[in-house]
Amino acid sequence: MYDDYTSIEDYFSNEVYSTHPSYYEDHLENVSIPAVPLQYSTESVLWYAYNAVIVAVGIVLNLVLIKGIVGAKSGGALLFVLQIAVIDVLSLRTSIWELHYHLDRTWTYPTEYCTLYSGLESFCSVATVYFIIGLNFHSISSYNLAVKLAKNALTTSDTEMAAESLTDENSYEVATDTISQKRSLTIDYRYKRRHISVLFPILLVWFMALSESVPLFLFADIVTVPKPEGHTEQQANMQYCTVLVNTLANHSFVRFMIIGIRIILPTVALLITLIQTVVKFYRGKHFTQPDEIDENVAFALKLSIFLSLSYAIFTFQRLYGSLLQEILPESNATSKYPLFDPIVGLSLANFHYSASMIRPLVVIVMCKQKCNHVDMSFICKTRPPENGVR
């Protein structure tokens, strides 16, 4: 027996310390340890990429655009763009709460944040679309005014007679001690600079957005839904951030207001004004803008077309894929994009809020194009030294 082992170490290793047969060791070698999947891996990548790119870059671009418009003391169409840029900054900040809502599948923030999120989300949504519609109406009105002035200039056939009549009406005598001299002063009111005021439409949109969001600021709260049967005990109850209504009649009224003011009316108005701005933009290529218009009408029409298309591309899917599907059911406890997979819903939400970054970027590029004749600076320039002193 002792001849079977070459050393005492072989004896102890095989007879004493070998507690498992060889086939058991082979079994252990073939068993692979299952990898524990990382929870929310894809959603987490989208979440961090969104915060790093969309939110940070979008806020910076909007602030640069705001600085350029305010510094240039622009009016008309660019005042609407200024309001949209301010709303985009608020919208990007609000989107962080919503994307985290998508990521966790439940509302994890305090109740105060739910109220603030619901009110700001409604406020930004209403303000953005109605500011774009207001810009469209302003561009159309500016075009109509330019056409009217151009036609009036063409119909004035006898300019010399008009000048003589204006001279006779505005002539006056200057008497001195030694001579009485007759002089004439001509005031041609046809060349008075004209523009369309935008103050009232802007204030009206702010009032509409605030009025629509007040109920959400007052009645938005967290609703806790018990976990469905068959789920494990470790799973917590679902929490939804929604508007609390105590009766079915109130729920129907809120549903009617949201569908009418936030979905149907903006959609119809935006599409109609978009078609009109496109038609008028191509018609405007056939005549020269009169000098009396104190605004670049062609540039205003370009802004209207771009902002309308950007809203239709990025936000219509949210209105009909998320907002409408949230308010149609009788229950208030409904998540965002209820008909879509969670990853698809998160991607669509990212796509919607990315418009707040793309809009200022394209507007800045349009303002810097020489063909648009927009005098605007988006960077802080240092003053040259005076008298050689630095």
Side-chain angles (χ1 to χ4, degrees):
M1 179 182 70
Y2 297 101
D3 295 338
D4 295 338
Y5 303 98
T6 57
S7 64
I8 190 66
E9 290 83 0
D10 293 338
Y11 174 79
F12 283 108
S13 63
N14 284 276
E15 296 295 334
V16 179
Y17 293 99
S18 180
T19 58
H20 301 289
S22 60
Y23 69 85
Y24 183 80
E25 295 178 357
D26 295 338
H27 172 71
L28 290 178
E29 293 178 357
N30 295 328
V31 173
S32 59
I33 300 176
V36 179
L38 295 177
Q39 195 174 16
Y40 304 141
S41 58
T42 305
E43 294 92 330
S44 299
V45 171
L46 292 175
W47 161 254
Y48 289 111
Y50 174 83
N51 282 277
V53 179
I54 304 298
V55 175
V57 177
I59 291 178
V60 171
L61 288 174
N62 280 287
L63 292 178
V64 170
L65 180 60
I66 292 172
K67 183 265 175 187
I69 297 176
V70 173
K73 298 180 180 179
S74 304
L78 287 175
L79 282 182
F80 283 100
V81 178
L82 176 63
Q83 315 304 314
I84 296 173
V86 173
I87 295 298
D88 280 339
V89 174
L90 294 176
S91 181
L92 287 172
R93 178 59 188 91
T94 307
S95 67
I96 298 178
W97 294 327
E98 180 174 332
L99 270 295
H100 201 274
Y101 190 15
H102 280 282
L103 191 64
D104 291 339
R105 315 290 203 273
T106 184
W107 185 264
T108 57
Y109 291 104
T111 305
E112 295 78 10
Y113 285 24
C114 171
T115 303
L116 191 61
Y117 158 72
S118 299
L120 286 178
E121 192 273 334
S122 174
F123 178 82
C124 295
S125 176
V126 174
T128 300
V129 64
Y130 282 102
F131 274 130
I132 295 176
I133 295 173
L135 172 61
N136 293 349
F137 279 113
H138 172 77
S139 302
I140 294 170
S141 300
S142 299
Y143 173 85
N144 293 336
L145 179 61
V147 172
K148 180 180 179 180
L149 294 176
K151 290 181 178 179
N152 291 338
L154 293 176
T155 55
T156 306
S157 57
D158 196 353
T159 56
E160 294 182 357
M161 293 181 60
E164 290 178 1
S165 62
L166 289 172
T167 300
D168 295 337
E169 293 175 0
N170 297 282
S171 61
Y172 63 93
E173 294 184 358
V174 178
T176 61
D177 295 338
T178 59
I179 188 172
S180 178
Q181 184 178 4
K182 185 177 182 180
R183 297 180 180 179
S184 63
L185 175 65
T186 302
I187 302 176
D188 194 347
Y189 292 97
R190 294 175 301 166
Y191 295 99
K192 181 182 179 181
R193 305 293 291 181
R194 300 184 182 182
H195 68 279
I196 298 177
S197 177
V198 298
L199 179 60
F200 177 74
I202 289 176
L203 294 178
L204 180 61
V205 172
W206 283 112
F207 176 76
M208 289 181 58
L210 185 61
S211 301
E212 176 67 17
S213 60
V214 163
L216 285 89
F217 280 116
L218 296 177
F219 302 110
D221 204 345
I222 297 175
V223 175
T224 302
V225 178
K227 53 180 176 292
E229 296 182 0
H231 286 247
T232 59
E233 294 295 333
Q234 290 80 8
Q235 184 178 1
N237 296 333
M238 301 294 294
Q239 290 184 332
Y240 296 96
C241 180
T242 184
V243 180
L244 297 181
V245 289
N246 52 2
T247 62
L248 181 60
N250 291 339
H251 180 72
S252 301
F253 176 75
V254 172
R255 180 192 305 174
F256 173 77
M257 292 293 294
I258 293 177
I259 293 177
I261 297 178
R262 295 186 59 181
I263 299 179
I264 296 179
L265 183 59
T267 301
V268 175
L270 188 70
L271 293 178
I272 293 177
T273 54
L274 173 60
I275 295 174
Q276 290 184 347
T277 52
V278 172
V279 172
K280 293 184 181 299
F281 175 75
Y282 283 100
R283 286 182 179 177
K285 296 181 178 181
H286 300 291
F287 75 96
T288 304
Q289 176 177 321
D291 295 334
E292 298 94 320
I293 299 295
D294 194 16
E295 186 176 2
N296 190 339
V297 178
F299 179 67
L301 291 172
K302 288 181 182 179
L303 287 176
S304 298
I305 294 173
F306 163 69
L307 292 176
S308 299
L309 289 176
S310 67
Y311 188 87
I313 294 172
F314 289 95
T315 309
F316 273 178
Q317 54 87 14
R318 178 180 178 85
L319 294 182
Y320 294 94
S322 178
L323 181 61
L324 184 62
Q325 304 303 324
E326 292 174 37
I327 61 179
L328 284 180
E330 296 295 336
S331 175
N332 294 330
T334 307
S335 61
K336 299 290 183 180
Y337 294 96
L339 301 181
F340 296 91
D341 183 80
I343 297 181
V344 177
L346 181 62
S347 302
L348 291 175
N350 285 333
F351 183 71
H352 160 69
Y353 284 110
S354 62
S356 298
M357 181 199 70
I358 296 175
R359 271 194 293 260
L361 177 62
V362 176
V363 172
I364 291 174
V365 173
M366 293 175 64
C367 291
K368 299 303 292 183
Q369 290 179 340
K370 295 182 179 180
C371 60
N372 292 324
H373 306 287
V374 179
D375 186 12
M376 189 178 299
S377 176
F378 297 100
I379 58 176
C380 297
K381 296 181 179 180
T382 58
R383 294 182 178 180
E386 297 180 359
N387 299 328
V389 179
R390 296 186 178 180

